[in-house]
Amino acid sequence: MRDKLLGAAAGRPLLVVAALTIVLLLIFLSGATRNLPLDLLTRSYSAPEEGPQNCSSASPIEPAKDKLLGGLLSPAFDEPSCLSRYQSALFWKSSNHTPSPFLLQKLRSYEALHKRCGPHTDLYNKSIEQLRSNRSTGPLECNYVVWLQSGGLGNRLMSLISTFLYAILNNRVLLLSVPDDLHDMFCEPFPGTSWALPWDFPIKKLETHDFYRGSPQSYGNLLKNKVLSNGMNTTLASLPAYLYLHLMHDADDSDKMFYCEDAQPLFQSFPWLFLRSNQYFAPSLFLMSQYNDELQKLFPEKETVFHHLGRYLVHPANSVWGYVTRYYEAYLANAKERVGIQVRNFPNAPVKLELMLDQVVNCTLKEKILPDIEVEVPANLTTSGVKPKAVLVTSLQTGYFEKLRNMYYEHSSTTGDAIGVYQPSHEELQRTENQNHNTKALAEMYLLSFSDVLVTTAFSTFGYVAQGLGGLRPWMVLRPDNQNPPCRRALSMEPCFHFASAYDCKAGRNIDKGTVVPHVKHCEDLDFRWGLKLFD
Ligand code: GDP
């Protein structure tokens, strides 16, 4: 009996330790992990083997973050070489969007294809021989689409994701002509190979030489000069070795024939396609019947195209990730809620700072994203002890941030919340040719994507990247006018394809492309009623 009692008493410390361990584990698994210092997160974090666990909104405990994003990411990478790849999941709100098994299968088989056909493999060398031969031989075992940059970082990421979707639908290998100003900013997304066009690629000067609107090798130009026709009766020997696709905002009517489903079989004759775009042209692929079945299986949820492919492809290199994590830990980690506000003033359609600021403030107050301020000094000035709300402002200018910060510094909020307002940089001017400038842009897109609530500027691709990565439907601040509200909620987290073609190839005339299928409709960015976007 005494032994038993002693045994029970001796067991008590063990029980206490076990209970403490469970409590600590629950704290770690709960949403509180987003507030833990980063080094604690990285030291103690290990992901579950399985896909994401079910997240019940009734449960106060968030599920453990799944570092492979439901199987989207391959586990085959060396983690320290690219910390963002497996750490990003810790910072994003848990996603309700699970990638489809078909998408996962497709990505794994794409990775195998890329490894087989990647730079300097035997099959790549064979395809290079064809390119050097200066004539088309028809499709080879390895066929490529080479991405060429254009525009700011947001625009570049729009076209990159669209080009990757085009590549996987056509079993092509995606290679990037990486401009100097993006060097070493992104991690390699495909294991055991590279997506960068190698230095010894036979066509030099990709940026200036052959690839511009109306250039001799452009599809539009060859179509106009009847060297090509979409029906493809042309003999292979008469075809050029490669084709340039000009899918920029300024594409002419012939270039835009790319969006005709009848044109697609012709492209299969070319092992090498070079594609330049500053657009999110993914929605147009949903209007081509030959891709319907596959797209349906890849993306049963239509509005997750950028969300999944962006999270799969875009991993900031460690140097950029340092900016992200340092800033997050210093200013955002301790907040009870994070609100991201991205203000873009377009140089070719400028809006006065005061007017745009009014739009932002009116939007955040009207939609109860931020609390109003007390005009009178409140009688009770004791602190609430509640964690502050953090507002992350990103903009090239500093004025919006200063006004918001002063507003909540000089007045108390009606809710009693303390509001911390922060801005990581104000670069004043867009300087896309400068790598350090682009590093900040990428870091800020990522920081915005960690928001609980996101406010963006309508029409800005910078904001689209943040919303897509974060899986957020933002409040889009509209250009000020007397008729529209200051902002409206996006109904889909997808980016907008701004300069979509209205041409209906079968009918031979322009039509309203926003009414052809239920999941491709006009964007909510009111100014751009002709833009197209994917919706569920
Ligand atoms: P868009 O022009 O708004 O569609 O976005 P882009 O990203 O294509 O081009 C704007 C570019 O300006 C960015 O890539 C950055 O180089 C710069 N920029 C604009 N807004 C910001 C900002 O809030 N923060 C930083 N760091 N850069 C910005």
Side-chain angles (χ1 to χ4, degrees):
M1 181 68 175
R2 193 166 179 269
D3 279 350
K4 268 191 188 163
L5 279 174
L6 270 179
R12 228 167 268 143
L14 271 180
L15 273 179
V16 172
V17 171
L20 264 176
T21 312
I22 289 170
V23 169
L24 282 174
L25 200 66
L26 285 178
I27 291 173
F28 175 70
L29 293 180
S30 77
T33 51
R34 296 180 84 211
N35 298 334
L36 287 175
L38 184 76
D39 66 342
L40 193 60
L41 279 174
T42 49
R43 266 188 274 126
S44 56
Y45 171 73
S46 75
E49 296 287 303
E50 306 270 304
Q53 296 150 32
N54 270 341
C55 170
S56 153
S57 56
S59 161
I61 296 172
E62 263 193 63
K65 303 280 174 123
D66 163 26
K67 72 171 179 178
L68 299 182
L69 302 170
L72 199 65
L73 303 180
S74 159
F77 287 97
D78 156 44
E79 198 159 337
S81 66
C82 177
L83 294 169
S84 70
R85 188 185 330 263
Y86 300 135
Q87 281 182 11
S88 297
L90 297 169
F91 297 85
W92 283 318
K93 278 176 69 142
S94 293
S95 175
N96 297 328
H97 308 283
T98 313
S100 70
F102 191 75
L103 174 61
L104 303 185
Q105 201 186 318
K106 189 82 185 177
L107 293 175
R108 297 297 88 82
S109 61
Y110 175 83
E111 287 161 4
L113 174 77
H114 199 116
K115 204 166 173 181
R116 243 187 6 262
C117 301
H120 300 133
T121 55
D122 289 349
L123 289 171
Y124 168 88
N125 293 340
K126 232 169 139 181
S127 299
I128 290 287
E129 264 171 43
Q130 178 274 322
L131 191 60
R132 287 188 200 277
S133 78
N134 237 356
R135 62 188 180 80
S136 182
T137 52
L140 297 175
E141 208 170 325
C142 293
N143 304 288
Y144 300 83
V145 54
V146 179
W147 173 85
L148 306 172
Q149 62 81 27
S150 178
L153 188 59
N155 286 93
R156 290 176 183 188
L157 293 176
M158 293 300 117
S159 71
L160 179 63
I161 300 296
S162 307
T163 308
F164 181 58
L165 180 60
Y166 187 72
I168 60 176
L169 287 173
N170 288 284
N171 297 320
R172 283 183 181 272
V173 174
L174 170 72
L175 293 178
L176 270 54
S177 167
V178 183
D180 288 346
D181 51 63
L182 288 190
H183 252 289
D184 297 330
M185 271 182 58
F186 296 99
C187 305
E188 292 283 355
F190 314 123
T193 179
S194 174
W195 65 350
L197 204 63
W199 63 271
D200 57 355
F201 190 70
I203 302 179
K204 304 290 175 205
K205 299 186 188 154
L206 285 165
E207 291 314 323
T208 53
H209 186 52
D210 271 336
F211 307 106
Y212 51 89
R213 186 166 75 149
S215 64
Q217 293 285 46
S218 81
Y219 163 65
N221 183 56
L222 293 169
L223 208 57
K224 248 184 283 185
N225 293 323
K226 303 204 164 35
V227 179
L228 295 179
S229 73
N230 279 348
M232 228 322 266
N233 298 321
T234 340
T235 55
L236 279 179
S238 65
L239 291 179
Y242 61 89
L243 211 53
Y244 165 58
L245 301 169
H246 186 81
L247 303 182
M248 298 281 294
H249 66 284
D250 65 353
D252 69 18
D253 289 348
S254 305
D255 297 316
K256 285 186 189 164
M257 296 300 274
F258 169 85
Y259 301 112
C260 293
E261 55 189 40
D262 288 355
Q264 295 300 317
L266 168 72
F267 303 133
Q268 284 164 16
S269 306
F270 294 91
W272 291 94
L273 293 176
F274 295 83
L275 192 157
R276 192 189 308 282
S277 173
N278 53 3
Q279 298 292 299
Y280 185 66
F281 61 86
S284 66
L285 303 175
F286 285 75
L287 295 173
M288 297 180 193
S289 60
Q290 61 264 59
Y291 301 131
N292 277 352
D293 288 350
E294 197 160 7
L295 284 170
Q296 173 56 34
K297 285 191 272 173
L298 287 170
F299 300 103
E301 276 185 283
K302 305 292 182 306
E303 66 166 297
T304 58
V305 175
F306 191 95
H307 179 59
H308 291 319
L309 296 186
R311 285 180 169 203
Y312 174 73
L313 274 190
V314 181
H315 307 290
N318 286 353
S319 53
V320 185
W321 193 235
Y323 282 62
V324 176
T325 52
R326 280 191 298 275
Y327 201 86
Y328 185 89
E329 208 175 347
Y331 302 102
L332 307 174
N334 197 37
K336 69 167 179 182
E337 191 188 33
R338 282 157 279 267
V339 176
I341 302 184
Q342 178 249 349
V343 195
R344 176 83 167 111
N345 210 336
F346 294 100
N348 45 8
V351 176
K352 275 201 173 128
L353 188 137
E354 294 72 25
L355 288 180
M356 198 59 184
L357 181 70
D358 279 352
Q359 293 288 96
V360 172
V361 172
N362 289 339
C363 168
T364 52
L365 297 187
K366 180 166 174 271
E367 304 302 342
K368 307 216 172 332
I369 297 164
L370 291 176
D372 210 338
I373 48 171
E374 298 278 8
V375 185
E376 303 287 326
V377 179
N380 180 1
L381 278 177
T382 53
T383 54
S384 64
V386 177
K387 285 182 170 186
K389 267 194 183 194
V391 181
L392 174 76
V393 179
T394 77
S395 173
L396 285 173
Q397 289 79 38
T398 189
Y400 311 101
F401 151 74
E402 282 171 3
K403 297 271 181 221
L404 277 172
R405 182 199 53 192
N406 292 351
M407 181 170 143
Y408 290 108
Y409 174 47
E410 292 167 6
H411 304 272
S412 49
S413 69
T414 48
T415 54
D417 282 321
I419 313 289
V421 185
Y422 312 100
Q423 179 173 16
S425 75
H426 52 97
E427 293 279 289
E428 310 302 335
L429 288 176
Q430 177 172 343
R431 289 180 294 123
T432 298
E433 65 300 335
N434 179 305
Q435 183 169 345
N436 190 254
H437 171 87
N438 292 336
T439 294
K440 290 179 188 162
L442 180 59
E444 289 168 36
M445 287 169 180
Y446 252 82
L447 283 166
L448 285 169
S449 79
F450 302 150
S451 304
D452 296 296
V453 183
L454 185 62
V455 179
T456 56
T457 304
F459 193 64
S460 171
T461 59
F462 191 106
Y464 294 163
V465 177
Q467 75 194 43
L469 288 175
L472 302 162
R473 291 180 189 154
W475 295 92
M476 304 173 102
V477 176
L478 306 172
R479 287 177 71 77
D481 75 18
N482 294 328
Q483 277 136 44
N484 295 323
C487 62
R488 54 159 42 187
R489 184 85 192 263
L491 297 173
S492 150
M493 60 190 175
E494 274 285 288
C496 176
F497 177 11
H498 292 152
F499 292 88
S501 167
Y503 187 68
D504 182 280
C505 309
K506 288 212 175 81
R509 61 183 165 81
N510 285 351
I511 60 160
D512 183 352
K513 287 276 182 81
T515 56
V516 177
V517 293
H519 48 273
V520 178
K521 292 191 242 179
H522 292 294
C523 315
E524 305 95 330
D525 317 34
L526 285 182
D527 287 354
F528 269 73
R529 292 293 296 164
W530 57 88
L532 295 178
K533 174 167 169 173
L534 291 163
F535 292 83
D536 279 305

